[in-house]
Amino acid sequence: MKKALLSILLVVALVAGLASVSFGASQKAGDVDFDGLVTAEDALLVLRATSGTTNLSSAQISAADVTYDGKVNSVDALRILLYVCGSINSLDKLGGEEGDDIII
Ligand SMILES: [Ca+2]
C-alpha cells in the first residue's frame, strides 16, 4: 500500500515538475534563457546573438525582441538592461505605459 502511495506521489511530482518546466519555457518578454527571470544574463545572450557568437532559437528570438520591431539587436539588450536596473517598469510593447519609452 505504501509503495502504491509512493508511486502516485512520485508521478504527481513528475507531472508537476514537467508542468513547471513547460510553463517556464513559455515566452516571457526579455527572458531569453527561459529561467523564469529577466536578468543581465538575458541581455548578454542578446548581445552574443547580435555579435554572432551564439544562436537563438525562434522562441528565444521572440522573447528577445523586446522592442517589437521584428529584429533582435543591441537595442533589445539595452531595453532588457534598463528593465533589470529598474529604469523602465515593463518590457511590454513600447508606448504601452507612460514613461517606459527609451530616452537616451
Ligand atoms: Ca532569464
Side-chain angles (χ1 to χ4, degrees):
M1 186 67 176
K2 282 185 179 181
K3 277 188 175 181
L5 183 61
L6 191 59
S7 297
I8 290 170
L9 287 174
L10 185 60
V11 168
V12 169
L14 284 172
V15 169
L18 290 174
S20 67
V21 167
S22 64
F23 178 76
S26 66
Q27 298 172 6
K28 177 181 177 183
D31 184 13
V32 184
D33 60 7
F34 300 131
D35 66 353
L37 302 170
V38 178
T39 66
E41 292 288 327
D42 298 298
L44 182 60
L45 256 178
V46 172
L47 289 174
R48 284 183 176 153
T50 300
S51 67
T53 56
T54 193
N55 293 316
L56 300 178
S57 69
S58 59
Q60 286 178 304
I61 290 171
S62 180
D65 182 16
V66 293
T67 56
Y68 305 96
D69 61 356
K71 304 171 198 165
V72 174
N73 55 36
S74 57
V75 179
D76 296 294
L78 172 62
R79 193 155 191 254
I80 291 170
L81 286 175
L82 288 172
Y83 176 75
V84 169
C85 294
S87 297
I88 58 175
N89 297 324
S90 160
L91 288 174
D92 291 341
K93 211 164 191 170
L94 292 173
E97 284 186 34
E98 189 175 324
D100 279 354
D101 293 334
I102 298 173
I103 300 171
I104 299 174

